[in-house]
Amino acid sequence: MSIAINKKLCIGCGACVEICPGSLPILRNGKALLPRPERCWGCCSCLKDCPVQAIALYIGDDIGGRMTVKKDGHRLRWIAALADGTEKIITVDSRDANKY
Ligand code: SF4
Ligand code: SF4
């Protein structure tokens, strides 16, 4: 499991820098970077707060592939790009967090 920041999409808002509990992303020349990716434990806070889906989580193809998240009010739309070229969208209501 790892995350990757797409520099082309990043608008340098700094949200990932603010939210990361490990202070891992940094801003340089108006773009976010992850200098020590091996320290990331994949909590996904930065994915959820990135306003332009510039951060992706990579997990095994069998359980999702490449995932990004889009916020829509209380809803989080997890978009999984699967190895076969298709997409799967899983919508989660953030108000239900910790419910299960
Ligand atoms: S996934 Fe979590 S630990 Fe990793 S960079 Fe993002 S906020 Fe930090
Ligand atoms: S939250 Fe997204 S757009 Fe903002 S600095 Fe981080 S990667 Fe760039």
Side-chain angles (χ1 to χ4, degrees), residues 33-88:
L33 303 171
L34 195 65
R36 304 292 302 270
E38 73 278 10
R39 292 192 173 175
C40 168
W41 58 90
C43 72
C44 297
S45 296
C46 57
L47 274 83
K48 294 174 190 170
D49 267 25
C50 180
V52 292
Q53 292 79 55
I55 309 176
L57 174 72
Y58 289 82
I59 54 180
D61 281 339
D62 52 333
I63 52 173
R66 175 186 180 277
M67 301 193 77
T68 52
V69 191
K70 196 166 189 177
K71 256 188 188 170
D72 177 17
H74 294 290
R75 294 181 203 286
L76 296 172
R77 284 164 31 102
W78 289 85
I79 304 158
L82 304 178
D84 64 4
T86 61
E87 258 186 13
K88 185 174 182 180

Side-chain angles (χ1 to χ4, degrees), residues 5 9-17 27 32 46 49-52 54-55:
I5 300 172
L9 294 178
C10 175
I11 58 172
C13 71
C16 56
V17 176
L27 280 179
C46 57
D49 267 25
C50 180
V52 292
I55 309 176

